[in-house]
């Protein structure tokens, strides 16, 4: 078994846990954006969210919000959070086991989104309607 998060879950690799229950665990990220950066991870190995059962998927976000509140209480200088799932390699996923990042943020911390060259053009209402049709008409 090659998955680092599976190894952490079964105790074969070290991590600092913030939460454990039947469906998910949470531990601190080894390379945090800011102190308190945590990962909520389903116990079962799934590479992407598509295959997670509904209960586990919803629970992942419930625990994420609970943890966010605790992190907020612990660090007075934290003013905001990013919840991020990189769902697939092309979206920046490096560890192929589903994980929800809970990233504590503060103004000027230097973290942010990087936009591509196509970003910044306003898409007309008709083009957006055409996009919605593609998504919904099937
Ligand atoms: P991704 O790019 O897949 O969304 O994020 C993977 C995250 O897992 C990164 O933030 C990285 O720092 C973290 N990570 C990778 N290996 C380990 C590890 O062995 N232990 C812990 N705690 N975090 C890890
Ligand atoms: Zn795994």
């Amino acid at each position: 078994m090659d998955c680092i998060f599976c190894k952490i879950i079964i105790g074969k690799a070290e991590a600092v846990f913030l939460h454990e229950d039947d469906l998910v665990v949470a531990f601190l990220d080894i390379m945090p954006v800011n102190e308190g950066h945590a990962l909520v991870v389903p116990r079962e190995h799934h590479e992407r969210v598509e295959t997670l059962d509904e209960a586990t998927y919803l629970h992942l976000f419930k625990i994420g919000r609970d943890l966010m509140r605790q992190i907020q209480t612990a660090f007075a200088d934290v003013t905001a959070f990013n919840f991020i799932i990189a769902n697939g390699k092309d979206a920046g996923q490096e560890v192929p086991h589903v994980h929800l990042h809970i990233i504590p943020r503060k103004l000027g911390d230097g973290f942010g989104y990087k936009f591509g060259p196509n970003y910044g053009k306003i898409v007309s209402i008709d083009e957006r309607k055409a996009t919605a049709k593609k998504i919904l008409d099937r």
Side-chain angles (χ1 to χ4, degrees), residues 36 38 40 61-74 78 80-83 102-104:
V40 193
F61 279 86
K62 188 236 178 295
I63 296 304
R65 188 172 66 166
D66 290 350
L67 260 180
M68 180 198 76
R69 291 188 175 118
Q70 286 182 269
I71 296 164
Q72 177 69 89
T73 305
V78 167
F81 284 84
N82 285 112
F83 280 38
I102 308 297
I103 306 179

Side-chain angles (χ1 to χ4, degrees), residues 4-5 8 27-31 86 92-95 99 101:
I4 181 62
F5 288 178
I8 287 172
F27 48 82
L28 289 170
D29 197 293
I30 201 168
M31 230 181 339
Q93 184 176 13
E94 285 174 358
V95 176
H99 49 284
H101 290 262

Side-chain angles (χ1 to χ4, degrees), residues 1-7 9 41-47 95-98:
M1 185 244 300
D2 232 17
C3 172
I4 181 62
F5 288 178
C6 281
K7 283 186 183 142
I9 287 163
V41 182
R43 276 192 187 278
E44 265 184 26
H45 181 90
H46 290 263
E47 186 165 339
V95 176
H97 182 137
V98 170

